Amino acid sequence: MDLASQMILFASVVDHGSFSATARSLGLTPSAVSKQIGQLEDKLGVRLLSRSSRQVSMTAEGRSFYESCAEISAEVSRAEALALSFSGTPKGNLHMAVTVAFGKARLLPILPLFTAKYPEVTITLELTDRAVNLQDSDFDLAIRFPEQMTDSSAIACKLGSSRRILCAAPAYIAAHGAPETPDALTDHNCLSVSTVAHWNDWHFRQGPHRWTVHADGNFAANSADAVFHATLAGLGIAQLSSYLVEKDIAAGRLIRLLPGYEEEPTDIFAIYCTRRNLSPKVRAFLDFLLESFREPPH
């Protein structure tokens, strides 16, 4: 038995008041308990317990030593209880990073369903479009687009796909006209995202032909959500996820541009550090996401 185990055993002997009571609680023999305490005293070079036929009592040195042993015993018990909770009911704080527009438009509306199902899980949500390295942070998971995924060691779980739609407000079109081809976008004010450079490369296709246009204009923001609101205000043209703009296009607040050209779809992923020994709270949330964003059959 190592020193730490013997210290925990010593605290147990003191708490139970005898070798025999301690032995019964641990499934040992009294002689085995006595032997380990004797070895501990030999290691320390001091006598910790005064023995009698029925009970033990601490020596002065034992009383001084007991406090440290009791602290170690309590810490081990707390750690053991915490570890056991990981394999049971989902509980504890779930800390996640989610891209801003997706978080506001798609995740926040469904979170009450998750918290109602798992009331012992609390959520700390960081809405950010910056790159996130899970290895160097305390995030349990993140929801990202491919352009934001820079950590090659992370496990990625696809949640679904999204189209990106080119659009502008009626006021912008009235003032500047509408582009008729992807090449014409170079003559327009194209709004960009400052935190993810690849989001500003807009891809189009028509039959066998392909175009890539780099967004260039007088406005950039640190989130696609901010670009969306700038587009609604009539500041310029933007390429935005369908879940952000579909309702506004249907209501006439935004106009879809270049409808004869297909924009390339993109996937969105939940990413996390390891698939082994995944905590119940993370596993439960991943299952919830997959169920919530399951794509309907074509």
Side-chain angles (χ1 to χ4, degrees), residues 72-259:
I72 291 175
S73 181
E75 286 296 329
V76 169
S77 296
R78 280 193 289 269
E80 183 179 21
L82 179 62
L84 289 173
S85 73
F86 292 158
S87 60
T89 302
K91 62 178 65 176
N93 185 254
L94 182 66
H95 190 195
M96 71 182 99
V98 181
T99 188
V100 180
F102 185 88
K104 293 173 68 173
R106 301 295 307 277
L107 182 63
L108 286 173
I110 64 172
L111 277 186
L113 300 175
F114 179 79
T115 55
K117 188 174 182 179
Y118 300 104
E120 293 186 72
V121 177
T122 59
I123 294 173
T124 300
L125 176 65
E126 183 170 328
L127 294 177
T128 177
D129 285 344
R130 65 177 174 83
V132 171
N133 188 325
L134 296 181
Q135 299 286 351
D136 299 329
S137 70
D138 62 351
F139 290 119
D140 294 299
L141 60 85
I143 298 179
R144 320 308 277 161
F145 286 98
E147 296 93 334
Q148 298 169 297
M149 294 163 58
T150 58
D151 184 359
S152 59
S153 65
I155 309 299
C157 177
K158 181 181 173 181
L159 300 179
S161 299
S162 173
R163 290 182 302 121
R164 288 177 177 159
I165 296 175
L166 195 73
C167 57
Y172 178 86
I173 301 301
H176 304 281
E180 296 184 359
T181 66
D183 292 331
L185 288 169
T186 57
D187 297 324
H188 285 269
N189 194 40
C190 297
L191 312 184
S192 59
V193 181
S194 60
T195 49
V196 186
H198 291 304
W199 273 350
N200 303 317
D201 292 329
W202 300 350
H203 305 285
F204 305 91
R205 63 185 179 186
Q206 187 181 62
H209 304 292
R210 300 288 186 273
W211 291 263
T212 297
V213 177
H214 186 75
D216 188 24
N218 65 6
F219 179 85
N222 65 350
S223 78
D225 183 68
V227 171
F228 163 63
H229 286 283
T231 308
L232 279 173
L235 197 56
I237 295 173
Q239 191 179 64
L240 296 163
S241 295
S242 56
Y243 58 78
L244 272 182
V245 301
E246 284 175 334
K247 291 182 180 179
D248 292 285
I249 289 175
R253 292 185 290 270
L254 290 174
I255 296 173
R256 182 177 180 182
L257 304 175
L258 302 181

Side-chain angles (χ1 to χ4, degrees), residues 252-270:
R253 292 185 290 270
L254 290 174
I255 296 173
R256 182 177 180 182
L257 304 175
L258 302 181
Y261 296 83
E262 294 182 62
E263 296 98 343
E264 292 186 2
T266 186
D267 296 328
I268 189 162
F269 296 87

Side-chain angles (χ1 to χ4, degrees), residues 36-85:
Q36 290 298 325
I37 297 302
Q39 290 179 357
L40 175 61
E41 290 175 323
D42 290 342
K43 288 179 184 177
L44 300 176
V46 296
R47 191 175 183 188
L48 301 173
L49 295 172
S50 296
R51 292 129 168 107
S52 69
S53 59
R54 293 189 176 181
Q55 64 180 13
V56 295
S57 59
M58 288 183 287
T59 63
E61 293 82 1
R63 279 191 292 273
S64 299
F65 189 58
Y66 170 75
E67 185 175 346
S68 297
C69 296
E71 289 177 1
I72 291 175
S73 181
E75 286 296 329
V76 169
S77 296
R78 280 193 289 269
E80 183 179 21
L82 179 62
L84 289 173
S85 73

